Amino acid sequence: MAPRRSKNSKSPPILSHEFFIQNHADIVSCIAMVFIIGLMFQATSPIASLFITLQHNQTINDSVTGDTVVVYGTGVRDLFTVCFYSLVCIVVHAVIQEYLLDKLNRKMHLSKVKHSKFNESGQLLVFFLLSAVWGADLFFRENYITSVNQLWEGYPHNQLPFIVKFFFIVQIAYWLHNYPEMYFQKVRKEEISERVQYTTLYLSLIAAAYFLNFNRVALCLLVVHYTTEFLYHSALLCHYSEKTELAATIFMVFDVLFVLVRLGSITLAVLTFWIGLAPSSQPSIDVATGNYNSNFMRMTCLGAVCLSQAGLMWNFITFQLRKFREKSASNSSRKPRSPTKKKQPAVKPIAAEDLDSLPEVDQNAASENGNVRARRARK
């Protein structure tokens, strides 16, 4: 996984910053292999399984078929699993970067700023596409689409199928791995603040929805949000690739869907937290049973969703207004100006005494020039 280097280039010193940056994928993959190999030995298997396998599983009888099924809850031990799959995300990130994005960058010869933006959008594009398809498949597989009431009926939703729990573990692990990736990718100081902000926002909201057992409504909100983000980063990649017409078309579709998704997300949050969960609300939370349906928690979750959607909408509106001003300013500067006639300077005639002081040849030339100027002036 280390980047290719020429024979004449010097390798960085061992244990230096550059050494870890160039070989971080190999180092992280070796650490992950240590946990996987630990599953093969009886002495280390309990510790290794704590990181690799999903925790808090229990066996119950299915009320419909009567068969025994394995379901999963949430708890503190999930943090160990998140740490391991964060290592996996770092390795996958490096694979996409080296075998896909770096090859495209060499062909397009982008500047340093566009190079960094291109890598960021390329990584997010792959993640948003896979997550949106995976989440939509779960939404249909678990029959959440048949009735919107299933988003809040039967709360607390603390008995998750394997694939649903694994989806949220991967989501939390991906956004957690973004922090060390800023160091590995040598992100510019100007971009660190923005990346930390949206990474922290994603991580905190998804983790809160997972551990508070609001996973069904979170799954629905993530699918629709990731779909619009996929379109946005697709348009950015087309823009960086100088495919302006295709980028403009995708941006137009994104602008419409972005507004609809913001309104739909707020509507869905109000239906779930304000209306759906209100009848089963309790005075205080019950951590033992995983029931966090209290008035304070519902209003807090509703406020978090509405504030996040309002913030996204505010950024969208300010961007569109700034874009409109720049476009109007550029159009006004391109308007052709009416040509103005230049005034010819007045010709001062040569005085008679000055003309007499000139030689005869110069006198004849001066008199001829004077006659020509006089005729031009009359015209």
Side-chain angles (χ1 to χ4, degrees):
M1 290 307 306
R4 298 176 182 176
R5 296 182 293 271
S6 60
K7 295 181 179 179
N8 296 330
S9 62
K10 296 181 179 179
S11 58
I14 298 177
L15 302 181
S16 63
H17 289 284
E18 193 65 26
F19 176 82
F20 282 110
I21 291 174
Q22 290 186 3
N23 302 281
H24 73 274
D26 294 325
I27 297 172
V28 171
S29 60
C30 291
I31 296 174
M33 286 299 299
V34 170
F35 291 101
I36 297 175
I37 295 175
L39 290 174
M40 303 179 183
F41 302 95
Q42 186 176 2
T44 57
S45 179
I47 299 176
S49 62
L50 183 64
F51 288 88
I52 299 175
T53 61
L54 300 185
Q55 304 298 311
H56 303 284
N57 58 320
Q58 53 182 330
T59 304
I60 62 173
N61 293 325
D62 192 351
S63 58
V64 179
T65 61
D67 299 332
T68 57
V69 294
V70 178
V71 294
Y72 296 84
T74 60
V76 181
R77 286 181 294 175
D78 291 333
L79 299 178
F80 296 97
T81 311
V82 168
C83 292
F84 173 78
Y85 285 100
S86 296
L87 301 179
V88 177
C89 289
I90 292 175
V91 177
V92 175
H93 189 117
V95 172
I96 296 173
Q97 182 66 43
E98 182 173 357
Y99 294 100
L100 180 61
L101 298 179
D102 285 348
K103 291 183 179 180
L104 294 176
N105 281 323
R106 295 191 200 101
K107 294 180 180 180
M108 291 187 291
H109 305 287
L110 300 175
S111 62
K112 289 184 178 180
V113 177
K114 287 187 176 181
H115 182 273
S116 178
K117 293 291 185 182
F118 184 87
N119 290 337
E120 180 186 9
S121 294
Q123 295 285 350
L124 291 175
L125 175 71
V126 175
F127 172 73
F128 286 139
L129 175 61
L130 296 178
S131 297
V133 174
W134 188 5
D137 177 68
L138 293 178
F139 208 73
F140 286 97
R141 181 182 298 183
E142 299 299 325
N143 295 325
Y144 297 155
I145 198 63
T146 56
S147 176
V148 70
N149 297 337
Q150 294 191 20
L151 296 179
W152 57 79
E153 286 182 350
Y155 182 84
H157 307 136
N158 53 0
Q159 295 180 349
L160 304 176
F162 172 85
I163 195 65
V164 175
K165 182 182 175 69
F166 188 61
F167 174 81
F168 280 97
I169 291 294
V170 172
Q171 295 296 311
I172 298 173
Y174 179 84
W175 293 112
L176 183 63
H177 104 285
N178 267 10
Y179 293 109
E181 277 296 341
M182 297 179 197
Y183 170 74
F184 295 142
Q185 298 296 326
K186 293 183 179 179
V187 177
R188 299 185 308 124
K189 293 182 179 179
E190 297 80 5
E191 301 177 6
I192 290 179
S193 177
E194 180 184 357
R195 293 198 185 189
V196 168
Q197 288 179 8
Y198 74 72
T199 299
T200 305
L201 184 63
Y202 276 113
L203 181 61
S204 57
L205 291 179
I206 295 175
Y210 172 72
F211 287 106
L212 297 178
N213 295 322
F214 296 121
N215 43 71
R216 293 184 182 180
V217 63
L219 178 63
C220 183
L221 293 175
L222 286 177
V223 169
V224 295
H225 176 72
Y226 283 171
T227 303
T228 58
E229 290 297 310
F230 166 74
L231 292 176
Y232 174 70
H233 289 285
S234 300
L236 283 181
L237 291 181
C238 293
H239 174 70
Y240 296 141
S241 304
E242 297 182 354
K243 298 179 180 179
T244 55
E245 295 182 358
L246 181 59
T249 304
I250 300 176
F251 272 127
M252 188 180 303
V253 177
F254 164 76
D255 292 342
V256 177
L257 287 181
F258 185 87
V259 177
L260 295 178
V261 168
R262 300 287 78 79
L263 296 176
S265 299
I266 294 176
T267 304
L268 189 62
V270 171
L271 285 175
T272 302
F273 295 107
W274 184 273
I275 300 175
L277 293 173
S280 59
S281 178
Q282 58 183 13
S284 60
I285 62 175
D286 188 358
V287 180
T289 60
N291 193 337
Y292 298 91
N293 186 15
S294 64
N295 291 331
F296 174 76
M297 293 302 299
R298 286 192 299 108
M299 294 301 102
T300 301
C301 294
L302 178 60
V305 174
C306 292
L307 285 177
S308 62
Q309 302 303 312
L312 293 173
M313 197 66 196
W314 174 260
N315 293 335
F316 177 79
I317 293 173
T318 53
F319 172 78
Q320 294 297 331
L321 291 176
R322 184 171 66 252
K323 183 179 177 182
F324 176 76
R325 294 194 196 99
E326 292 175 355
K327 187 176 181 180
S328 60
S330 62
N331 291 336
S332 61
S333 62
R334 292 177 184 174
K335 289 182 179 179
R337 298 180 179 178
S338 57
T340 57
K341 296 182 179 180
K342 296 182 178 180
K343 294 183 179 180
Q344 296 182 355
V347 180
K348 183 178 180 181
I350 302 176
E353 56 273 13
D354 296 335
L355 186 63
D356 295 337
S357 63
L358 295 174
E360 184 179 358
V361 178
D362 294 337
Q363 290 179 9
N364 296 333
S367 61
E368 291 179 0
N369 291 335
N371 294 333
V372 172
R373 290 171 182 170
R375 286 196 297 269
R376 289 179 180 177
R378 286 195 296 270
K379 290 181 181 180

